[in-house]
Amino acid sequence: VAMDSIGLDQYTKYLVESNLDLFEVYAPIPSLESVFRIFHIYNTGATFGLFSGGGTIFRYVAILVSLGIIYYNFVLPGNQRLLRLALGLQMGGALGNMIDRFRIGHVTDFIDIGPWYIFNLADLSIVSGAVILGLLVFQESRELKARHKAAEAKESHLEEPSLETAVPPQPEPTHE
């Protein structure tokens, strides 16, 4: 997944960089230009232009994050497909933007969808991976709560004697 993400990201950036001048706009569907256009700009910060000017540090953050993901991938149980997808998307996006930072000193952005930030496929990959990861964490949290609730119910059931096993009170002996 990471390699596909990097390849697609770098290919689309190559197309934009080789066909549009910096700050040039292309509207593939002219009637939708107000909501979707290709706008060749650059970004020296993080995803969606956050932390502008911090590009140098993000080169190395991407490397550290990728090494962490690679390690984590090796220790994950085999049945974690969605988690591996999420991590692969995040790593591919981080490395795609890192390649730009080393190659040209900034990240090429070009997807302009109206009032949102202008971004690229690497950014989309990072955000998609984060959304999948968030959904997985939410799902696991709900499952843990349900298991905890079931364990509490079972425990309280064991503490209370059931009607079937309870010994009925014996009458007090009378002295006659």
Side-chain angles (χ1 to χ4, degrees):
V1 171
M3 295 307 288
D4 292 338
S5 178
I6 293 168
L8 192 56
D9 172 65
Q10 289 298 302
Y11 179 67
T12 56
K13 289 174 180 173
Y14 164 77
L15 289 175
V16 168
E17 292 166 359
S18 60
N19 290 297
L20 293 176
D21 290 331
L22 193 58
F23 305 116
E24 187 177 351
V25 174
Y26 167 65
I29 306 169
S31 62
L32 296 178
E33 184 175 0
S34 64
V35 292
F36 172 70
R37 64 189 187 161
I38 306 299
F39 182 17
H40 182 191
I41 65 167
Y42 68 91
N43 173 6
T44 59
T47 300
F48 301 124
L50 300 173
F51 310 110
S52 184
T56 302
I57 190 135
F58 291 119
R59 291 177 185 172
Y60 304 104
V61 168
I63 293 169
L64 290 175
V65 166
S66 296
L67 290 173
I69 289 173
I70 289 167
Y71 169 77
Y72 190 59
N73 192 49
F74 280 111
V75 299
L76 273 176
N79 61 346
Q80 299 289 328
R81 283 185 163 159
L82 278 176
L83 182 54
R84 288 179 197 279
L85 173 66
L87 295 173
L89 286 168
Q90 291 174 11
M91 185 171 93
L95 291 176
N97 282 340
M98 182 203 68
I99 290 168
D100 282 10
R101 288 188 180 96
F102 278 109
R103 183 175 59 88
I104 54 177
H106 59 264
V107 174
T108 297
D109 285 336
F110 59 90
I111 302 171
D112 185 359
I113 53 172
W116 301 96
Y117 292 100
I118 300 170
F119 57 97
N120 58 47
L121 293 184
D123 297 335
L124 183 61
S125 184
I126 292 167
V127 171
S128 298
V131 167
I132 292 168
L133 184 62
L135 291 171
L136 289 171
V137 168
F138 177 72
Q139 178 185 359
E140 184 175 337
S141 172
R142 290 186 62 192
E143 289 171 0
L144 284 172
K145 283 180 185 177
R147 278 186 258 160
H148 182 64
K149 209 174 222 183
E152 282 180 344
K154 184 177 181 181
E155 187 176 292
S156 70
H157 180 70
L158 291 175
E159 290 174 1
E160 298 174 8
S162 69
L163 295 176
E164 299 160 356
T165 60
V167 177
Q170 299 296 320
E172 301 253 348
T174 57
H175 299 293
E176 291 182 34

